[in-house]
Amino acid sequence: MKRKSSLRTQILVSLLLFILLVLGLIYVFQTGFLDDFYKKEKISSLISTAEKIEQEILKEEDLEDVIDGYVFSNEVNVRLISNNEDIRELDQRSAGPLRGLDLMTIFQMEKTVEENGGSYLFDNYQYRMGPDSFLDIYIYAKDITYEEDDVLLLVSTMVTPLAATISTIRSQFLMIAVIVILTTVVLALLLSKLFIKPIKDISAGARNLPKGKYENVEARSLELDELNDTLVEANEEILKADKAKKELIGNVSHDLRTPLTMIVGYGEMIRDLPSENNEENINVIIDEARRLSTLVDDLLDVSKSDSGALELHPEDVSINDLLQGVYRQYEKHCEEKNVSFELKLIDDKTFKMDRGRITQVLYNFLNNALNYNDKEEKTIILGEEEHEGKRRIYVYDNGAGIPSDKKDLIWDRYYKVDKEHKRSHIGSGIGLSLAKSLLELHGFDYGVDSKEGEYSKFWFDMGE
Ligand code: ADP
């Protein structure tokens, strides 16, 4: 496994490497190449000056001004050698190192220029300043023509030896390098402290996340702020999930206990009082056992749907056939309970669906329609209709209805409008959430229209 180093070390090492690279580059350029740069710079400015003078001479304007401009310049020195009278006169004005050139040297130079195509740079000429002191100068020589006469233009510049400068730079550089490196180390430590503190706080906080006890950390940077916000959100989700888990255990154990109490109670009564051994009491036991089994089935389906394991087995189903089947199952039940139950069909159509699962949804709607109705005359309609080009299947009841602010909530798991667990209103609160999962798996739109105290109409739409 690759060994990981701390963020502080990484910041420190990266900054130091960067600074060393920059210092190294500066050192090499300042000391190693300085001399070359300087000489190149000198030569190119010398040549460009010569060209400028040539241009001005060719323009034949104010030649005195041209030369005077350079006679007093410290940078360059100019001479013009020619038989032309004007030029000779002009050359009288020149002073400086070039003035001291003897005729022999000038003649040699003229020859070299000729051999080299009209111009030449003499870069190792030494100008004698005193008995023992010499000065390096560069001389650029060029043949030009003035009033049909040949003119040898000589332009020179002094070259200062850089050895002393370079050695000064070297010693200063050492000091600068030490200061920069020390500053970098301090800066890196400060920076890392600035970044690492919030990261440490966040990671310490994140350890409390599983307990839902993550606390907001002041992060000082956008990215860490985002991380902090994500953890705060995760913390809220964990708290919510924890609450839901507690509610689930509470609800499920309550829902399991009620039928179990009934079964045990009725069972004991029948055992102890033989006169109570009648069909009615035994039916109570059977009903409660069935309720238990439905509840367990629903819970299994919910857990399957949560884990994505709920699979559909779609087939072509005739709507009228489906609704008639469900109607037949419920007809007797409603008759016994004195509920008016109606089936409203229109022209038949076929849709792809998991027949068993959609039947389960309809049973769920019908059970609720029966459960949540305290009216004297109870009506339930199972029907179908065209709705905005789709086929809508619905279960209508004239029961309690649903308060408009609860219409969205009833599809949530374990949600009950009436939190009091009344015996007549049996239900675990998972029926509609399971119906919702199944309808969403099918891709069917669903919903409820209702007026509190008057009616509820649960529906889902099929088709494109
Ligand atoms: P439950 O097991 O409690 O019936 P459901 O998920 O089936 O769970 O329903 C959730 C809640 O929606 C119910 O507790 C009830 O308050 C409300 N509800 C569902 N169907 C109807 C209906 N037809 N009329 C009035 N309220 C209903």
Side-chain angles (χ1 to χ4, degrees), residues 364-365 368-369 372 397 400-402 410 415-418 426-433 456 458:
N364 200 279
F365 287 172
N368 284 344
Y372 302 104
D397 70 81
I402 294 148
I410 52 170
Y415 185 82
K416 292 181 178 124
V417 173
D418 185 357
I426 288 292
S428 56
I430 51 177
L432 285 183
S433 88
S456 305
F458 282 83

Side-chain angles (χ1 to χ4, degrees), residues 283-338:
N283 276 342
V284 171
I285 294 180
I286 293 171
D287 280 352
E288 294 300 327
R290 280 211 183 105
R291 235 192 277 278
L292 264 183
S293 133
T294 316
L295 177 64
V296 171
D297 284 347
D298 280 359
L299 280 172
L300 282 176
D301 283 344
V302 163
S303 100
K304 268 194 210 160
S305 127
D306 281 353
S307 62
L310 198 78
E311 270 178 33
L312 294 183
H313 302 285
E315 55 183 309
D316 283 330
V317 176
S318 133
I319 297 298
N320 288 356
D321 189 43
L322 171 83
L323 295 187
Q324 273 159 349
V326 174
Y327 181 79
R328 270 196 299 277
Q329 285 292 322
Y330 254 77
E331 205 180 7
K332 222 157 149 247
H333 198 50
C334 289
E335 223 175 79
E336 278 169 12
K337 296 206 166 185
N338 215 5

Side-chain angles (χ1 to χ4, degrees), residues 25-225:
L25 279 177
I26 294 176
Y27 184 80
V28 169
F29 276 84
Q30 286 286 57
T31 62
F33 299 141
L34 190 62
D35 209 36
D36 284 348
F37 277 147
Y38 172 72
K39 284 181 178 159
K40 269 200 194 114
E41 192 53 37
K42 275 270 157 181
I43 291 170
S44 91
S45 100
L46 184 66
I47 293 176
S48 80
T49 308
E51 276 162 4
K52 233 192 286 166
I53 294 172
E54 182 188 359
Q55 293 294 322
E56 287 175 36
I57 290 175
L58 292 181
K59 274 195 262 160
E60 301 179 16
E61 287 170 3
D62 297 329
L63 290 182
E64 285 92 347
D65 282 355
V66 174
I67 292 304
D68 287 352
Y70 294 103
V71 168
F72 300 109
S73 134
N74 290 329
E75 272 297 303
V76 290
N77 184 215
V78 182
R79 278 208 65 183
L80 295 160
I81 318 284
S82 176
N83 292 328
N84 183 290
E85 276 304 312
D86 291 353
I87 297 290
R88 271 165 173 268
E89 214 170 283
L90 206 59
D91 188 45
Q92 294 306 316
R93 309 172 83 90
S94 299
L98 290 180
R99 191 81 251 161
L101 293 179
D102 54 51
L103 275 176
M104 194 57 202
T105 316
I106 293 179
F107 178 70
Q108 283 290 333
M109 282 181 166
E110 238 169 354
K111 224 175 126 203
T112 317
V113 168
E114 219 170 280
E115 283 164 8
N116 282 284
S119 68
Y120 192 78
L121 175 81
F122 301 92
D123 59 358
N124 54 1
Y125 188 82
Q126 293 203 314
Y127 171 62
R128 179 190 274 273
M129 302 249 289
D132 290 320
S133 72
F134 289 92
L135 189 68
D136 277 341
I137 61 172
Y138 288 159
I139 302 174
Y140 182 66
K142 192 168 186 200
D143 268 341
I144 54 178
T145 316
Y146 177 77
E147 291 179 344
E148 293 177 4
D149 287 322
D150 282 344
V151 179
L152 179 67
L153 167 67
L154 297 176
V155 185
S156 76
T157 188
M158 278 185 259
V159 187
T160 324
L162 288 183
T165 318
I166 292 177
S167 117
T168 317
I169 291 178
R170 277 202 182 127
S171 58
Q172 277 186 354
F173 184 85
L174 202 72
M175 271 158 56
I176 293 175
V178 171
I179 295 172
V180 169
I181 290 175
L182 282 180
T183 322
T184 309
V185 171
V186 173
L187 203 73
L189 292 179
L190 279 177
L191 273 181
S192 58
K193 204 169 171 197
L194 204 72
F195 290 125
I196 291 167
K197 166 105 173 49
I199 294 180
K200 277 195 169 157
D201 288 352
I202 290 177
S203 84
R207 277 190 208 109
N208 291 325
L209 200 59
K211 287 176 248 152
K213 284 187 180 158
Y214 179 79
E215 273 173 27
N216 213 11
V217 170
E218 209 199 313
R220 287 207 201 115
S221 75
L222 276 180
E223 292 78 4
L224 290 180
D225 247 349

